[in-house]
Amino acid sequence: MGGVRLEAITWDRLGDLIAERLLELKPADGSPWPRIAFDGAPAARPGDLAERVAEALRPRGRSALVVGTEGYLRPASLRFEYGRQDVETYYDGWFDTGALWREVFGPLEPGGDGRVLPDLLDPVTDRATRTPYVQLPPGAMLLLHGPLLLHHWFPFDLTVHVRLSPAALRRRTPQDEHWTLPAYERYETETAPGDTADVLVRADDPRRPAWNG
């Protein structure tokens, strides 16, 4: 992180520039559906950036489906099996990665049918949603956002990491969620998302982002 040079930018301009980059993106495995990660802690609001990029893609003639991993939580009985503040579970067992593979990534593999389920579980009611499947035409993009995405080996074609410094992450995370902070410390150590992501966005000041261009 120390050697990465970042440039100040506005959120609107950032959305436009990422959208322009995605227009040229060709999946390495031959899939007709590019898959893009918007990785970041909830306090970094990676979903907001994913929505901006989706909006920027539309006038450029490309459709995109924005999916949040909060719609793929595991049931509460499994998330809270070891208590409501178990860091290990949050890091490795909070999200239903098997369902994400089955309902999101599998249909977008080469030869897949492009039929994606946007969400599976309502995080408020802890019940299955009734959201219908979405048929993605060839060339449409998956914009998946959520925390800790880059250590699951998902087949992303481009990764964006929205980073907060440890101080900013603590400041912007609600007090009752501070128990999750050690998971992000571990993520930095084991995955180094700021170094491994294709696009790095620093969002310590939510009004003045910067990126690595």
Side-chain angles (χ1 to χ4, degrees), residues 21 63 119 124 204:
R21 180 168 178 175
S63 60
D119 53 56
V124 175
D204 287 2

Side-chain angles (χ1 to χ4, degrees), residues 57-114:
L57 284 167
R58 289 188 186 101
R60 293 169 169 82
R62 297 292 292 274
S63 60
L65 176 66
V66 179
V67 174
T69 57
E70 72 273 8
Y72 275 88
L73 291 173
R74 299 176 78 200
S77 60
L78 298 177
R79 299 200 312 276
F80 303 141
E81 182 178 4
Y82 301 104
R84 289 182 172 271
Q85 297 186 356
D86 185 75
V87 175
E88 190 71 25
T89 300
Y90 183 74
Y91 190 74
D92 270 326
W94 206 251
F95 300 99
D96 193 340
T97 55
L100 280 166
W101 277 102
R102 182 179 68 251
E103 304 289 0
V104 177
F105 289 103
L108 303 182
E109 292 177 348
D113 61 10

Side-chain angles (χ1 to χ4, degrees), residues 35-38 150 156-161 196-200:
R35 297 142 298 191
I36 299 92
F38 289 82
L150 305 187
F156 293 117
D157 302 299
L158 186 132
T159 55
V160 179
H161 176 62
T196 58
D198 299 302
V199 176
L200 172 63

Side-chain angles (χ1 to χ4, degrees), residues 39-47 90 146-148 161-162 164 169 173 184 187:
D39 174 62
R45 304 182 69 85
Y90 183 74
L148 311 172
H161 176 62
V162 185
L164 297 177
L169 178 59
T173 298
Y184 294 104
Y187 187 51

